[in-house]
């Protein structure tokens, strides 16, 4: 009798584990579909910006140059110079937004080059001192996984720029064969977890969703006034087909 009860208990435990695993897989697939949709929309918007508005601004610049040839005195007016300057600034802003939405370097040259490009922009645009090290030796991961890893770094660095008030940043990817360890640290003002929004402030919910899809784990060490250190481990032994 006791043996039958124990077998029944073990059976319930196994069934509960199966149900939990199925629910987890369903959640991951749903998350993957949502994020894939977001990436597709990013690509579409980036292309529309580059080809549409970017193309229009180029045409406007060309037309203004033609007018200048017809009315040479225009180049002497401050208003004309200011108009040209605004067009150049608008074209630069369109390129910047398009690049953030879907970096061409990620698609054309891969994850490591894209992350180095991200570091360069942090240095040149935001005047941050960035120490970086990326180890992708003999790493074979899918394009989707590369995009997810890039987005994680992109969102974390956006947080640093917007909220941290930092002057120094450390970005690393360490390849240990069976897993990747991603580290990003800053010397900024840090934050207190108990003051974050319930739904996940600072975009951490979106970052955690990407980490979950990669079957990873994220640890955050921070305190108000004491900088922030984030470590993410991504397993490599199970290659997810995406």
């Amino acid at each position: 009798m006791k043996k039958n009860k124990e077998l029944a208990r073990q059976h319930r435990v196994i069934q509960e584990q199966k149900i939990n695993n199925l629910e987890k897989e369903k959640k991951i697939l749903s998350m993957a579909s949502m994020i894939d949709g977001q990436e597709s929309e990013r690509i579409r918007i980036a292309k529309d910006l580059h080809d549409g508005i970017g193309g229009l601004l180029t045409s406007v610049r060309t037309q203004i140059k033609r007018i200048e040839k017809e009315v040479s005195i225009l180049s002497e007016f401050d208003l004309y110079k200011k108009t040209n300057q605004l067009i150049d600034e608008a074209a630069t802003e369109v390129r910047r937004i398009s690049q953030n939405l879907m970096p061409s370097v990620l698609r054309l040259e891969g994850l490591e080059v894209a992350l180095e490009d991200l570091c360069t922009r942090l240095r040149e645009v935001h005047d941050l001192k960035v120490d970086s090290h990326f180890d992708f030796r003999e790493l074979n991961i899918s394009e989707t996984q590369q995009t997810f890893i890039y987005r994680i770094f992109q969102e974390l660095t956006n947080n640093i720029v917007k909220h941290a008030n930092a002057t120094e940043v450390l970005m690393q990817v360490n390849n240990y064969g069976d897993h990747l360890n991603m580290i990003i640290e800053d010397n900024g003002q840090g934050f207190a977890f108990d003051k974050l929004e319930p739904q996940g402030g600072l975009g951490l919910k979106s970052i955690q969703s990407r980490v979950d899809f990669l079957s990873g784990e994220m640890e955050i060490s921070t305190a108000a006034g004491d900088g922030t250190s984030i470590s993410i481990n991504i397993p490599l032994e199970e290659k997810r087909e995406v």
Side-chain angles (χ1 to χ4, degrees):
M1 191 71 171
K2 289 183 178 179
K3 185 177 180 180
N4 289 338
K5 287 184 178 180
E6 178 62 21
L7 288 173
R9 188 191 68 80
Q10 291 178 358
H11 179 72
R12 284 198 306 273
V13 170
I14 292 172
Q15 290 301 113
E16 288 174 0
Q17 288 177 342
K18 287 182 178 179
I19 291 171
N20 289 337
N21 288 337
L22 286 172
E23 289 178 347
K24 184 177 180 181
E25 285 297 320
K26 183 179 179 181
K27 182 179 179 181
I28 289 174
L29 288 173
S30 175
M31 188 188 311
S33 177
M34 178 189 70
I35 295 176
D36 186 57
Q38 290 176 347
E39 291 299 328
S40 296
E41 187 67 3
R42 283 174 183 259
I43 293 172
R44 184 191 67 77
I45 295 172
K47 189 174 187 302
D48 286 349
L49 280 172
H50 182 272
D51 297 344
I53 298 177
L56 283 172
L57 288 170
T58 299
S59 297
V60 170
R61 185 188 291 115
T62 300
Q63 291 298 320
I64 287 180
K65 291 295 183 184
R66 291 178 64 181
I67 294 173
E68 181 184 353
K69 288 181 180 179
E70 296 291 332
V71 188
S72 58
I73 195 173
L74 276 178
S75 60
E76 299 177 11
F77 289 96
D78 288 340
L79 180 61
Y80 175 81
K81 295 176 182 178
K82 182 63 176 178
T83 300
N84 270 319
Q85 181 183 340
L86 289 173
I87 292 171
D88 289 340
E89 289 176 0
T92 299
E93 185 67 5
V94 167
R95 285 195 299 271
R96 184 190 67 79
I97 295 172
S98 179
Q99 178 71 8
N100 282 338
L101 285 169
M102 190 63 243
S104 58
V105 66
L106 176 62
R107 186 176 67 257
L108 298 175
E109 301 190 54
L111 180 58
E112 184 170 0
V113 176
L115 289 176
E116 289 290 2
D117 183 67
L118 183 60
C119 291
T120 298
R121 278 184 280 138
L122 289 172
R123 296 184 186 104
E124 295 180 353
V125 178
H126 302 289
D127 198 27
L128 290 168
K129 180 181 178 182
V130 182
D131 183 12
S132 63
H133 170 74
F134 303 117
D135 179 8
F136 291 103
R137 292 172 300 168
E138 301 178 3
L139 184 64
N140 181 25
I141 58 176
S142 72
E143 184 177 325
T144 299
Q145 289 171 308
Q146 291 186 49
T147 301
F148 277 29
I149 291 172
Y150 180 84
R151 291 298 184 205
I152 289 169
F153 272 110
Q154 186 182 46
E155 292 188 41
L156 288 173
T157 54
N158 283 343
N159 282 345
I160 292 173
V161 170
K162 292 178 181 178
H163 306 292
N165 195 27
T167 58
E168 298 180 10
V169 176
L170 170 68
M171 292 173 61
Q172 290 185 349
V173 175
N174 301 300
N175 183 356
Y176 292 105
D178 63 340
H179 74 281
L180 286 181
N181 173 239
M182 302 157 54
I183 296 174
I184 184 162
E185 298 178 351
D186 68 72
N187 68 340
Q189 61 191 10
F191 59 91
F193 278 108
D194 57 354
K195 293 184 179 180
L196 290 180
E197 298 173 6
Q199 297 303 316
L202 304 181
L204 291 178
K205 184 178 180 181
S206 173
I207 295 167
Q208 185 65 62
S209 295
R210 297 179 190 277
V211 173
D212 288 344
F213 176 80
L214 295 169
S215 301
E217 296 180 351
M218 178 167 66
E219 294 183 1
I220 302 175
S221 175
T222 185
D226 198 30
T228 301
S229 176
I230 297 178
S231 177
I232 299 171
N233 288 315
I234 305 296
L236 296 176
E237 63 269 23
E238 295 181 6
K239 300 292 191 301
R240 189 183 297 279
E241 295 296 329
V242 289

